[in-house]
Amino acid sequence: MTSSPSYPRAVLFDLLTALLDSWTLWNRAAGSEQAGRSWRAQYLKLTYGCGAYLPYEDLVRQAAADTGLPASAPAALEDGWEQLQPWSGAVQALQALAPHCKLAVVTNCSVRLGRMAAARLPVDWDLVLTSEEAGFYKPDPAPYRLALQQLGVDAAEAAFVAGSSYDMFGTAAVGLRTYWHNRIGLPLVAGAQAPDIESPGLDALPAWLARFGHPVNSHPAR
């Protein structure tokens, strides 16, 4: 017997890594992949260590200065923001889910840039929540919890699609089952809980969510 679909009530997405290829934009603004990755790593360090929200644009500029990049790098990043491109398969996955679930973004960003980035995807979002609005950056539990509250959904009725394994610290604290779209093959951060599924793409996401309410054997897939 084939089980009928049993989707969650809502799916929350990381935006700038899980759905959009921000890596290419950062690398181009920095002048090389190596410089872009170093800059972004420093930005993440500042983000995860700052506690309460500090302006996103300020952290990006500070990280650029810390890694020896000129002021033109963060300026180029912002100038290219509306050129952010969805990962292949992202639009198709969102379109497949839209009839079945509420769709939301929970992103480490300012309100201004978060709205601009979310608009790069042809989706009628039920919620776009930024860290500026939540008062904290992920993986602090506050952004995830505020998103669930505003959607009117319990954690057990929702799923999260991560772009970074740092998200697993927050989703574990809140109780959100997680799909890790590990596009560039990063290792799991030390101490982070393994996701329900790890995949280099989003092709497996709709089928996983269609079985969300059915008991399954959880085996992370690559």
Side-chain angles (χ1 to χ4, degrees), residues 88-128:
S88 61
V91 172
Q92 293 88 336
L94 291 165
Q95 290 174 338
L97 295 172
H100 307 288
C101 318
K102 293 182 178 180
L103 301 178
V105 159
V106 185
T107 182
N108 276 355
C109 202
S110 63
V111 171
R112 180 176 64 89
L113 293 180
R115 297 286 187 273
M116 289 169 60
R120 298 296 297 157
L121 293 146
V123 176
D124 292 327
W125 297 107
D126 293 281
L127 176 68
V128 175

Side-chain angles (χ1 to χ4, degrees), residues 103-205:
L103 301 178
V105 159
V106 185
T107 182
N108 276 355
C109 202
S110 63
V111 171
R112 180 176 64 89
L113 293 180
R115 297 286 187 273
M116 289 169 60
R120 298 296 297 157
L121 293 146
V123 176
D124 292 327
W125 297 107
D126 293 281
L127 176 68
V128 175
L129 182 74
T130 67
S131 290
E132 181 177 3
E133 294 162 294
F136 291 89
Y137 285 101
K138 299 180 300 172
D140 187 281
Y144 312 91
R145 286 177 176 151
L146 182 58
L148 292 169
Q149 178 185 343
Q150 292 193 8
L151 290 166
V153 174
D154 292 334
E157 302 172 306
F160 189 85
V161 180
S164 163
S165 61
Y166 282 100
D167 264 310
M168 266 67 91
F169 291 105
T171 58
V174 173
L176 281 166
R177 292 171 60 189
T178 304
Y179 181 110
W180 181 17
H181 179 202
N182 188 8
R183 192 74 177 208
I184 62 174
L186 295 172
L188 185 70
V189 175
Q193 177 176 297
D196 288 68
I197 290 183
E198 176 186 348
S199 174
L202 291 164
D203 294 348
L205 179 63

